[in-house]
């Protein structure tokens, strides 16, 4: 395993959730036309449709808190797989909802974009 | 998206958990030398080390129950990414533990093997 994928994965997720929680209209830069998002039972493809979906989610204030973050190299060409479990605080709700999310990151020049993104709330 | 990845992912996960729950010493066929497992905070590479880890887990009876299973195509060459959330019942415990797991499956002839495997219990 290379030395750097954990750092990339951690920095990516912190940036992603910070951007999501402050202004999710700007998340499009992290996706490409071939990117896929499964958000609960919805399936979207392409940066434009993915961001439309994320922007349309029915909350104003949102905060992600990471509980666990685990990364592995996913290909010889530098792909990285990250699984996050965490908590989501929405609007004025007192109780956080637990979620699980996986990102498949593909290198692109000096940066990475999201090829696969699967998000699920953990109902109990 | 191809028509078949959901079927492959579903059949793979059912087979995997059935094998895990009945005789996890036989899971080695599903991994290769380059395969990686993150199981909680442990990191293993290679079918042999991965199976040793799974066999060494401190329980006799185990049952996985899938709550959600979401798959996406992960490469032009037929890789599949699957995220599972579910419940784990161990030995004679009454309360199931929730878990999240991701598999990155790579095609190999008529079958698939696990390249990436990340498993986390969801502590509340």
């Amino acid at each position: 395993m290379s030395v750097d994928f954990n750092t990339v994965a951690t920095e990516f997720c912190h940036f992603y959730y910070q951007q999501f929680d402050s202004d999710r209209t700007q998340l499009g830069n992290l996706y490409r036309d071939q990117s896929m998002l499964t958000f609960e039972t919805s399936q979207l493809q392409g940066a434009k449709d993915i961001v439309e979906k994320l922007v349309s989610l029915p909350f104003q204030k949102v905060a992600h808190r990471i509980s666990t973050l685990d990364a592995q190299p996913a290909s010889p060409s530098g792909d990285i797989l990250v699984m996050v479990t965490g908590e989501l605080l929405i609007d004025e709700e007192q109780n956080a909802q637990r979620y699980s999310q996986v990102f498949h990151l593909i290198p692109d020049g000096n940066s990475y974009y999201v090829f696969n993104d699967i998000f699920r709330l953990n109902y109990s």
Side-chain angles (χ1 to χ4, degrees), chain A:
Chain A
M1 302 189 183
S2 102
V3 73
D4 203 42
F5 61 92
N6 278 312
T7 306
V8 172
T10 304
E11 288 180 355
F12 173 84
C13 291
H14 282 101
F15 178 79
Y16 182 92
Y17 291 130
Q18 187 177 44
Q19 186 68 68
F20 194 116
D21 296 349
S22 60
D23 180 6
R24 60 190 188 270
T25 66
Q26 301 304 308
L27 287 171
N29 295 330
L30 301 177
Y31 297 92
R32 296 288 180 275
D33 285 350
Q34 64 273 34
S35 301
M36 286 163 272
L37 168 68
T38 301
F39 188 92
E40 297 288 277
T41 55
S42 301
Q43 294 180 40
L44 295 306
Q45 185 154 21
K48 183 170 168 292
D49 287 0
I50 288 171
V51 173
E52 268 182 27
K53 172 66 181 177
L54 296 177
V55 169
S56 76
L57 295 173
F59 44 72
Q60 299 297 317
K61 280 173 54 183
V62 57
H64 291 78
R65 288 189 207 138
I66 295 173
S67 303
T68 65
L69 187 161
D70 295 291
Q72 292 180 355
S75 82
S77 53
D79 296 18
I80 298 174
L81 193 64
V82 200
M83 188 176 80
V84 176
T85 70
E87 294 184 325
L88 204 61
L89 259 175
I90 288 174
D91 291 331
E92 309 305 329
E93 285 175 21
Q94 298 299 307
N95 296 321
Q97 296 178 268
R98 296 197 59 83
Y99 73 90
S100 304
Q101 187 161 22
V102 57
F103 297 106
H104 171 199
L105 305 177
I106 294 187
D108 184 24
N110 295 324
S111 187
Y112 290 80
Y113 68 91
V114 180
F115 187 79
N116 300 102
D117 179 355
I118 303 177
F119 176 96
R120 276 282 182 179
L121 292 173
N122 301 152
Y123 296 105
S124 48

